[in-house]
């Protein structure tokens, strides 16, 4: 059972990624997704990372809000492009 408080920093730690503010911002900037790609289906995740993200969303777990935030951040460029921004 995961008892860590859900936050973007802790999500990155849970995923085994660098959780510094600069690393999170860099990861998001470098891993933008097309609108049709679900966050858990992104090609850059390992199987374990993909499973954690998918289960967090499906179970509407405590992590789901933070995973949703990550999803929105990873789709930001695609959303802006769709809006013509």
């Amino acid at each position: 059972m995961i008892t860590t408080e859900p936050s973007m920093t802790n999500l990155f730690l849970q995923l085994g990624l660098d959780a510094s503010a600069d690393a999170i911002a860099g990861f998001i900037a470098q891993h933008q997704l097309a609108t049709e790609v679900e966050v858990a289906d992104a090609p850059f995740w390992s199987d374990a990372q993909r499973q954690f993200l998918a289960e967090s969303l499906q179970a509407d777990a405590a992590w789901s809000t933070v995973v949703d935030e990550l999803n929105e951040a990873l789709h930001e460029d695609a959303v802006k492009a769709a809006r013509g921004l």
Side-chain angles (χ1 to χ4, degrees), residues 55-79:
E55 288 177 0
S56 294
L57 290 170
Q58 290 171 355
D60 199 24
W63 287 99
S64 64
T65 301
V66 181
V67 174
D68 280 338
E69 290 174 17
L70 177 60
N71 180 50
E72 288 179 14
L74 292 174
H75 286 96
E76 186 174 351
D77 287 354
V79 170

Side-chain angles (χ1 to χ4, degrees), residues 26-53:
F27 182 92
I28 290 169
Q30 294 172 5
H31 292 88
Q32 288 293 297
L33 298 172
T35 54
E36 67 275 4
V37 178
E38 300 288 332
V39 67
D41 295 333
F44 46 80
W45 301 124
S46 70
D47 289 341
Q49 291 169 325
R50 188 174 292 109
Q51 180 179 357
F52 175 78
L53 293 167

